[in-house]
Amino acid sequence: PKGMYGFFRTHQGDEIDLIMQVGTKKIGFECKASPSPNLSERNYAAMELLWLDKLFVVVPYGDFYPIQKNKVAVTPLPGIAQIVAYSL
């Protein structure tokens, strides 16, 4: 979709791999190699600094499941297109 795209990293290590903003919606994507990922405090700090509506943790395979209700969820890579279309 048309919008603004980028990444975010501070000197303190707060980071989000990909940020999409379309209209007023701002969604982050954090890519992990493990199918059972862990987010760091730095990821959560970046999420708060950016005022993200949602954060998706992208894994190579596996199932979609929430980590933090209505805010953070794990999704397998093949599901990204559907999530982007539904979320924006």
Side-chain angles (χ1 to χ4, degrees):
K2 278 189 168 185
M4 294 175 47
Y5 302 87
F7 64 93
F8 179 79
R9 181 169 173 84
T10 67
H11 291 288
Q12 292 81 19
D14 306 339
E15 69 164 353
I16 300 291
D17 292 331
L18 174 65
I19 303 159
M20 294 177 41
Q21 183 171 355
V22 177
T24 61
K25 290 268 190 166
K26 196 183 302 182
I27 298 174
F29 295 90
E30 183 64 24
C31 301
K32 301 292 185 183
S34 168
S36 53
N38 292 315
L39 287 178
S40 71
E41 289 182 30
R42 304 283 63 173
N43 295 129
Y44 285 108
M47 192 174 136
E48 294 300 318
L49 283 169
L50 294 168
W51 293 48
L52 293 180
D53 293 299
K54 291 189 179 200
L55 176 65
F56 292 100
V57 183
V58 182
V59 296
Y61 59 89
D63 296 318
F64 178 92
Y65 60 92
I67 294 177
Q68 188 180 29
K69 189 176 181 179
N70 297 325
K71 197 74 171 168
V72 182
V74 171
T75 185
L77 184 59
I80 290 296
Q82 184 178 8
I83 286 172
V84 169
Y86 177 75
S87 297
L88 301 173

